[in-house]
Amino acid sequence: MSWFDLAGRDLISELDWTREEYDIAMKVTDQLKGAYYSRIPHPTLEYKTFAMLFFAGSTRTRMSFETAMTQLGGHAQFIDPQTTRLSLEDKPGAGETVKDTAEAMERYCDGVGIRLLDDKIRYYGEADEVMQKFAKHCRVPIINMASDINHPCQSLTDIYTMHEKLDGDVKRKKIVIMWAWSPWIRGWCSVQGTALISSLYGMNVVVANPPEYDLDPRVMQDCRDLASASGGSFEVSHDLDSALDGATVVFPRNWFTKDRYEIGKEKAAEIAKKYVSWKYSTERQKKLGDPGYLLQCMPVDRGNEADAEVCDNKLSWILDQAENRLHTQKAILTLTMGGRL
Ligand code: CP
Protein backbone atom coordinates (compact mmCIF):
# COMPACT_ATOMS: atom_id res chain seq x y z
CA MET A 1 0.00 0.00 0.00
CA SER A 2 1.36 3.40 -0.97
CA TRP A 3 0.05 6.91 -1.40
CA PHE A 4 0.06 6.31 -5.15
CA ASP A 5 -2.58 3.58 -4.81
CA LEU A 6 -5.20 6.13 -3.78
CA ALA A 7 -4.89 8.05 -7.07
CA GLY A 8 -8.08 7.61 -9.10
CA ARG A 9 -10.00 5.99 -6.23
CA ASP A 10 -13.58 6.78 -5.26
CA LEU A 11 -14.68 7.48 -1.69
CA ILE A 12 -18.41 6.76 -1.46
CA SER A 13 -18.64 4.59 1.65
CA GLU A 14 -16.37 4.53 4.70
CA LEU A 15 -15.78 0.87 3.75
CA ASP A 16 -14.21 1.84 0.40
CA TRP A 17 -10.87 2.52 2.09
CA THR A 18 -8.87 0.33 4.45
CA ARG A 19 -7.45 1.29 7.81
CA GLU A 20 -3.99 1.68 6.19
CA GLU A 21 -5.47 4.01 3.56
CA TYR A 22 -7.11 6.18 6.22
CA ASP A 23 -3.77 6.22 8.09
CA ILE A 24 -2.14 7.57 4.93
CA ALA A 25 -4.87 10.20 4.57
CA MET A 26 -4.31 11.29 8.18
CA LYS A 27 -0.54 11.58 7.64
CA VAL A 28 -1.10 13.70 4.53
CA THR A 29 -3.61 15.79 6.50
CA ASP A 30 -0.93 16.45 9.14
CA GLN A 31 1.48 17.62 6.43
CA LEU A 32 -1.08 19.85 4.75
CA LYS A 33 -2.30 21.33 8.03
CA GLY A 34 1.32 21.99 9.04
CA ALA A 35 2.01 23.70 5.71
CA TYR A 36 -1.16 25.80 6.08
CA TYR A 37 -0.16 27.09 9.52
CA SER A 38 3.45 27.59 8.43
CA ARG A 39 2.22 29.63 5.45
CA ILE A 40 4.00 27.27 3.08
CA PRO A 41 2.23 27.12 -0.31
CA HIS A 42 1.09 23.61 -1.20
CA PRO A 43 -0.32 23.63 -4.75
CA THR A 44 -0.71 19.87 -5.10
CA LEU A 45 -3.53 20.17 -7.66
CA GLU A 46 -2.50 23.09 -9.82
CA TYR A 47 -4.83 23.58 -12.82
CA LYS A 48 -7.09 20.73 -11.66
CA THR A 49 -10.86 21.08 -11.25
CA PHE A 50 -13.16 19.44 -8.72
CA ALA A 51 -16.83 19.56 -9.74
CA MET A 52 -19.31 19.63 -6.87
CA LEU A 53 -22.92 18.55 -7.44
CA PHE A 54 -24.94 19.78 -4.46
CA PHE A 55 -28.48 18.41 -4.62
CA ALA A 56 -28.89 19.41 -0.94
CA GLY A 57 -27.76 22.42 1.10
CA SER A 58 -24.50 22.77 2.97
CA THR A 59 -22.37 25.26 4.88
CA ARG A 60 -19.22 23.40 5.91
CA THR A 61 -18.88 20.90 3.08
CA ARG A 62 -19.24 23.44 0.31
CA MET A 63 -17.00 26.06 1.91
CA SER A 64 -14.29 23.62 2.99
CA PHE A 65 -14.09 21.93 -0.43
CA GLU A 66 -14.01 25.24 -2.29
CA THR A 67 -11.36 26.65 0.03
CA ALA A 68 -9.41 23.39 -0.19
CA MET A 69 -9.22 23.54 -3.99
CA THR A 70 -8.16 27.21 -3.90
CA GLN A 71 -5.37 26.44 -1.43
CA LEU A 72 -4.27 23.44 -3.52
CA GLY A 73 -3.90 25.65 -6.60
CA GLY A 74 -6.93 24.29 -8.45
CA HIS A 75 -10.57 25.20 -8.85
CA ALA A 76 -13.81 23.92 -7.31
CA GLN A 77 -16.85 24.25 -9.54
CA PHE A 78 -20.13 24.56 -7.60
CA ILE A 79 -23.01 23.03 -9.55
CA ASP A 80 -26.65 23.32 -8.56
CA PRO A 81 -28.16 20.28 -10.34
CA GLN A 82 -31.40 22.21 -10.89
CA THR A 83 -29.54 24.41 -13.33
CA THR A 84 -28.22 21.42 -15.31
CA ARG A 85 -29.89 19.01 -17.76
CA LEU A 86 -29.60 16.06 -15.35
CA SER A 87 -32.55 13.93 -14.20
CA LEU A 88 -32.18 11.15 -11.65
CA GLU A 89 -35.23 9.39 -13.05
CA ASP A 90 -33.18 7.86 -15.82
CA LYS A 91 -36.07 7.15 -18.19
CA PRO A 92 -36.93 8.35 -21.70
CA GLY A 93 -38.30 11.88 -21.70
CA ALA A 94 -37.24 12.70 -18.12
CA GLY A 95 -34.01 14.60 -18.77
CA GLU A 96 -30.35 13.81 -19.33
CA THR A 97 -29.25 10.51 -17.84
CA VAL A 98 -26.67 10.03 -15.09
CA LYS A 99 -24.57 8.07 -17.62
CA ASP A 100 -24.39 10.89 -20.18
CA THR A 101 -23.88 13.51 -17.48
CA ALA A 102 -21.08 11.55 -15.82
CA GLU A 103 -19.34 10.79 -19.12
CA ALA A 104 -19.46 14.45 -20.13
CA MET A 105 -18.27 15.66 -16.72
CA GLU A 106 -15.14 13.51 -16.79
CA ARG A 107 -14.04 15.40 -19.91
CA TYR A 108 -13.92 18.66 -17.93
CA CYS A 109 -12.77 17.83 -14.44
CA ASP A 110 -10.42 15.69 -12.36
CA GLY A 111 -12.82 14.68 -9.61
CA VAL A 112 -16.53 14.87 -8.84
CA GLY A 113 -18.16 15.43 -5.45
CA ILE A 114 -21.84 14.65 -4.88
CA ARG A 115 -24.19 15.54 -1.99
CA LEU A 116 -27.60 13.90 -2.18
CA LEU A 117 -29.81 13.14 0.84
CA ASP A 118 -32.87 14.01 2.97
CA ASP A 119 -35.78 15.47 0.98
CA LYS A 120 -33.92 15.12 -2.31
CA ILE A 121 -34.42 11.35 -2.42
CA ARG A 122 -37.50 9.12 -2.48
CA TYR A 123 -36.27 6.12 -0.52
CA TYR A 124 -33.36 5.14 1.71
CA GLY A 125 -30.51 3.88 -0.44
CA GLU A 126 -31.36 5.94 -3.52
CA ALA A 127 -28.51 8.42 -3.04
CA ASP A 128 -25.99 5.61 -2.73
CA GLU A 129 -27.36 4.06 -5.94
CA VAL A 130 -26.94 7.38 -7.78
CA MET A 131 -23.36 7.76 -6.56
CA GLN A 132 -22.52 4.18 -7.59
CA LYS A 133 -23.99 4.93 -11.03
CA PHE A 134 -21.81 8.04 -11.34
CA ALA A 135 -18.79 5.95 -10.32
CA LYS A 136 -19.61 3.35 -12.98
CA HIS A 137 -19.72 5.91 -15.78
CA CYS A 138 -17.08 8.41 -14.65
CA ARG A 139 -13.37 7.64 -14.82
CA VAL A 140 -12.40 10.38 -12.38
CA PRO A 141 -12.80 9.89 -8.61
CA ILE A 142 -16.30 10.22 -7.15
CA ILE A 143 -16.29 11.68 -3.64
CA ASN A 144 -19.37 11.35 -1.44
CA MET A 145 -20.07 14.74 0.14
CA ALA A 146 -22.96 13.18 2.20
CA SER A 147 -25.49 10.61 1.08
CA ASP A 148 -28.35 8.79 2.78
CA ILE A 149 -26.03 6.07 4.13
CA ASN A 150 -22.51 7.51 4.47
CA HIS A 151 -20.52 10.71 4.99
CA PRO A 152 -16.91 9.56 4.63
CA CYS A 153 -15.31 13.02 4.44
CA GLN A 154 -16.94 13.87 7.77
CA SER A 155 -15.95 10.47 9.18
CA LEU A 156 -12.26 10.94 8.30
CA THR A 157 -12.47 14.38 9.94
CA ASP A 158 -14.02 12.89 13.07
CA ILE A 159 -11.34 10.23 13.56
CA TYR A 160 -8.60 12.75 12.70
CA THR A 161 -10.00 15.20 15.27
CA MET A 162 -10.23 12.50 17.94
CA HIS A 163 -6.61 11.46 17.26
CA GLU A 164 -5.53 15.09 17.46
CA LYS A 165 -7.37 15.81 20.70
CA LEU A 166 -6.54 12.51 22.43
CA ASP A 167 -2.84 12.49 21.43
CA GLY A 168 -3.33 9.61 19.02
CA ASP A 169 -4.72 7.37 21.76
CA VAL A 170 -8.22 6.46 20.58
CA LYS A 171 -8.09 2.69 20.98
CA ARG A 172 -10.66 1.38 23.52
CA LYS A 173 -11.81 4.94 24.25
CA LYS A 174 -15.58 5.07 24.63
CA ILE A 175 -17.57 7.11 22.13
CA VAL A 176 -21.32 7.42 22.62
CA ILE A 177 -23.30 8.34 19.52
CA MET A 178 -26.61 9.39 21.05
CA TRP A 179 -29.94 10.09 19.43
CA ALA A 180 -31.13 13.56 20.44
CA TRP A 181 -34.46 15.22 19.99
CA SER A 182 -34.80 17.94 17.34
CA PRO A 183 -37.58 19.02 14.98
CA TRP A 184 -34.96 18.98 12.20
CA ILE A 185 -35.52 15.23 11.47
CA ARG A 186 -32.13 14.35 10.07
CA GLY A 187 -30.60 11.54 8.05
CA TRP A 188 -28.33 8.73 9.13
CA CYS A 189 -25.13 9.47 7.20
CA SER A 190 -23.09 11.29 9.86
CA VAL A 191 -23.93 8.98 12.74
CA GLN A 192 -23.44 5.83 10.68
CA GLY A 193 -20.16 7.21 9.29
CA THR A 194 -18.80 8.05 12.73
CA ALA A 195 -19.86 4.63 14.05
CA LEU A 196 -18.04 2.89 11.16
CA ILE A 197 -14.79 4.84 11.40
CA SER A 198 -14.67 4.63 15.22
CA SER A 199 -15.19 0.85 15.00
CA LEU A 200 -12.42 0.62 12.38
CA TYR A 201 -10.05 2.37 14.80
CA GLY A 202 -10.75 0.09 17.77
CA MET A 203 -12.84 2.43 19.87
CA ASN A 204 -15.58 1.24 22.21
CA VAL A 205 -18.60 2.47 20.32
CA VAL A 206 -22.06 2.74 21.85
CA VAL A 207 -25.04 3.92 19.82
CA ALA A 208 -27.77 5.06 22.23
CA ASN A 209 -31.24 5.57 20.80
CA PRO A 210 -34.95 5.09 21.61
CA PRO A 211 -36.24 1.71 20.39
CA GLU A 212 -37.79 3.04 17.15
CA TYR A 213 -34.51 4.62 16.11
CA ASP A 214 -32.21 1.70 15.37
CA LEU A 215 -29.91 2.50 12.45
CA ASP A 216 -29.37 0.52 9.22
CA PRO A 217 -28.89 -3.13 10.32
CA ARG A 218 -26.28 -3.71 7.57
CA VAL A 219 -24.21 -0.76 8.78
CA MET A 220 -24.49 -1.92 12.39
CA GLN A 221 -23.27 -5.38 11.36
CA ASP A 222 -20.35 -3.75 9.52
CA CYS A 223 -19.54 -1.87 12.75
CA ARG A 224 -19.58 -5.14 14.73
CA ASP A 225 -17.27 -6.80 12.19
CA LEU A 226 -14.86 -3.84 12.14
CA ALA A 227 -14.81 -3.65 15.94
CA SER A 228 -14.10 -7.33 16.28
CA ALA A 229 -11.18 -7.05 13.82
CA SER A 230 -9.76 -3.90 15.41
CA GLY A 231 -10.01 -4.93 19.07
CA GLY A 232 -12.74 -2.41 19.83
CA SER A 233 -16.38 -3.03 20.63
CA PHE A 234 -19.75 -2.04 19.27
CA GLU A 235 -23.09 -2.05 21.05
CA VAL A 236 -26.54 -0.49 20.86
CA SER A 237 -28.32 0.75 23.99
CA HIS A 238 -31.84 2.07 24.57
CA ASP A 239 -30.93 3.51 27.97
CA LEU A 240 -29.27 6.89 27.48
CA ASP A 241 -27.90 7.57 30.95
CA SER A 242 -26.34 4.17 31.44
CA ALA A 243 -24.91 4.33 27.90
CA LEU A 244 -23.20 7.65 28.68
CA ASP A 245 -21.42 6.22 31.71
CA GLY A 246 -17.65 6.33 31.11
CA ALA A 247 -17.85 8.22 27.81
CA THR A 248 -14.72 9.99 26.65
CA VAL A 249 -16.49 11.41 23.60
CA VAL A 250 -20.21 12.11 23.01
CA PHE A 251 -21.83 12.77 19.62
CA PRO A 252 -25.46 13.94 20.09
CA ARG A 253 -27.49 14.03 16.91
CA ASN A 254 -31.06 13.67 15.75
CA TRP A 255 -31.92 11.04 13.18
CA PHE A 256 -35.15 9.75 11.70
CA THR A 257 -36.90 6.38 12.01
CA LYS A 258 -36.21 3.76 9.35
CA ASP A 259 -39.68 4.21 7.82
CA ARG A 260 -39.27 7.99 7.35
CA TYR A 261 -39.63 7.80 3.56
CA GLU A 262 -42.84 5.74 3.87
CA ILE A 263 -44.52 7.81 6.62
CA GLY A 264 -43.32 11.31 5.63
CA LYS A 265 -41.46 13.99 7.56
CA GLU A 266 -44.45 15.28 9.57
CA LYS A 267 -45.30 11.86 11.00
CA ALA A 268 -41.62 11.27 11.73
CA ALA A 269 -41.55 14.55 13.68
CA GLU A 270 -44.59 13.41 15.73
CA ILE A 271 -42.84 10.18 16.77
CA ALA A 272 -39.73 12.11 17.79
CA LYS A 273 -41.71 14.28 20.26
CA LYS A 274 -42.01 11.31 22.61
CA TYR A 275 -38.30 11.69 23.35
CA VAL A 276 -37.72 15.42 23.97
CA SER A 277 -35.71 14.56 27.09
CA TRP A 278 -33.00 12.92 24.94
CA LYS A 279 -30.48 15.75 24.92
CA TYR A 280 -26.78 16.19 25.76
CA SER A 281 -27.48 18.60 28.60
CA THR A 282 -25.05 20.41 30.89
CA GLU A 283 -26.40 18.31 33.74
CA ARG A 284 -25.68 15.06 31.88
CA GLN A 285 -22.18 16.21 30.95
CA LYS A 286 -21.39 17.19 34.57
CA LYS A 287 -22.73 13.89 35.92
CA LEU A 288 -20.50 11.88 33.61
CA GLY A 289 -17.31 12.13 35.64
CA ASP A 290 -15.46 11.25 32.41
CA PRO A 291 -14.70 14.10 30.00
CA GLY A 292 -17.60 13.55 27.62
CA TYR A 293 -16.00 15.79 25.01
CA LEU A 294 -18.51 17.08 22.48
CA LEU A 295 -17.94 15.79 18.95
CA GLN A 296 -20.67 17.05 16.62
CA CYS A 297 -20.32 17.46 12.88
CA MET A 298 -22.61 20.52 12.85
CA PRO A 299 -25.02 22.06 12.22
CA VAL A 300 -26.05 21.44 15.84
CA ASP A 301 -29.56 22.24 17.05
CA ARG A 302 -28.52 24.25 20.12
CA GLY A 303 -30.87 23.83 23.06
CA ASN A 304 -32.35 20.65 21.58
CA GLU A 305 -29.57 18.22 20.60
CA ALA A 306 -27.16 19.76 23.12
CA ASP A 307 -27.36 22.64 25.57
CA ALA A 308 -25.71 25.83 24.29
CA GLU A 309 -23.30 25.67 27.25
CA VAL A 310 -22.17 22.19 26.16
CA CYS A 311 -21.53 23.54 22.64
CA ASP A 312 -19.43 26.44 23.95
CA ASN A 313 -17.52 25.12 26.97
CA LYS A 314 -13.94 23.83 27.05
CA LEU A 315 -15.06 20.26 26.38
CA SER A 316 -16.50 21.20 23.00
CA TRP A 317 -14.49 20.24 19.91
CA ILE A 318 -17.01 21.32 17.32
CA LEU A 319 -15.22 24.27 15.74
CA ASP A 320 -11.86 22.52 15.56
CA GLN A 321 -13.74 19.60 14.03
CA ALA A 322 -15.35 21.93 11.46
CA GLU A 323 -11.95 23.40 10.61
CA ASN A 324 -10.49 19.94 10.14
CA ARG A 325 -12.92 19.34 7.26
CA LEU A 326 -10.67 21.70 5.30
CA HIS A 327 -7.45 19.86 6.11
CA THR A 328 -8.72 16.29 5.71
CA GLN A 329 -10.46 17.07 2.43
CA LYS A 330 -7.26 18.60 1.09
CA ALA A 331 -5.69 15.20 1.76
CA ILE A 332 -8.58 13.31 0.12
CA LEU A 333 -8.45 15.56 -2.96
CA THR A 334 -4.66 15.41 -3.23
CA LEU A 335 -4.52 11.64 -2.90
CA THR A 336 -7.47 10.73 -5.15
CA MET A 337 -6.75 13.32 -7.83
CA GLY A 338 -3.09 12.32 -8.13
CA GLY A 339 -1.48 15.33 -6.48
CA ARG A 340 2.09 15.43 -5.21
CA LEU A 341 3.22 17.11 -2.01
N1 CP B 1 -21.18 18.54 8.69
C1 CP B 1 -21.65 18.92 7.48
O1 CP B 1 -21.64 18.15 6.51
O2 CP B 1 -22.05 20.22 7.44
P1 CP B 1 -22.83 20.90 6.22
O3 CP B 1 -24.14 20.17 6.08
O4 CP B 1 -22.99 22.33 6.58
O5 CP B 1 -22.00 20.71 4.98
Side-chain angles (χ1 to χ4, degrees), residues 106-244:
E106 72 177 14
R107 304 296 176 109
Y108 307 129
C109 60
D110 307 280
V112 175
I114 304 172
R115 166 167 285 208
L116 177 58
L117 70 166
D118 293 347
D119 297 339
K120 307 298 175 191
I121 53 173
R122 293 160 296 179
Y123 55 90
Y124 177 73
E126 185 181 16
D128 186 64
E129 286 169 18
V130 169
M131 291 190 194
Q132 299 297 345
K133 207 183 281 181
F134 263 94
K136 183 176 166 199
H137 296 295
C138 209
R139 283 170 291 183
V140 299
I142 299 296
I143 307 298
N144 178 353
M145 302 193 300
S147 67
D148 38 12
I149 304 177
N150 308 98
H151 196 354
C153 299
Q154 182 67 57
S155 306
L156 173 61
T157 300
D158 292 355
I159 198 66
Y160 181 81
T161 304
M162 288 192 276
H163 270 102
E164 202 175 41
K165 298 290 186 184
L166 300 171
D167 294 325
D169 186 17
V170 301
K171 202 164 167 69
R172 305 292 302 175
K173 290 283 192 306
K174 182 173 181 180
I175 175 169
V176 179
I177 300 169
M178 58 168 277
W179 186 92
W181 182 77
S182 166
W184 288 0
I185 311 300
R186 318 174 85 159
W188 292 359
C189 63
S190 308
V191 288
Q192 293 190 152
T194 306
L196 285 164
I197 204 88
S198 304
S199 301
L200 180 70
Y201 274 85
M203 296 184 76
N204 292 341
V205 183
V206 179
V207 176
N209 56 264
E212 298 95 323
Y213 287 87
D214 283 349
L215 293 165
D216 184 336
R218 282 175 310 160
V219 173
M220 299 300 101
Q221 189 53 50
D222 289 334
C223 289
R224 281 185 199 96
D225 295 344
L226 290 170
S228 113
S230 66
S233 63
F234 179 82
E235 60 182 284
V236 176
S237 167
H238 296 150
D239 179 342
L240 178 57
D241 286 303
S242 73
L244 284 170

Side-chain angles (χ1 to χ4, degrees), residues 54 56-64 115 117 145-146 151 154 186 189-190 253 296-299 321-322 325 329:
F54 274 99
S58 162
T59 299
R60 281 143 291 272
T61 306
R62 177 180 176 180
M63 291 189 67
S64 54
R115 166 167 285 208
L117 70 166
M145 302 193 300
H151 196 354
Q154 182 67 57
R186 318 174 85 159
C189 63
S190 308
R253 180 84 163 175
Q296 220 279 2
C297 57
M298 301 176 88
Q321 189 184 353
R325 292 292 300 278
Q329 285 160 198

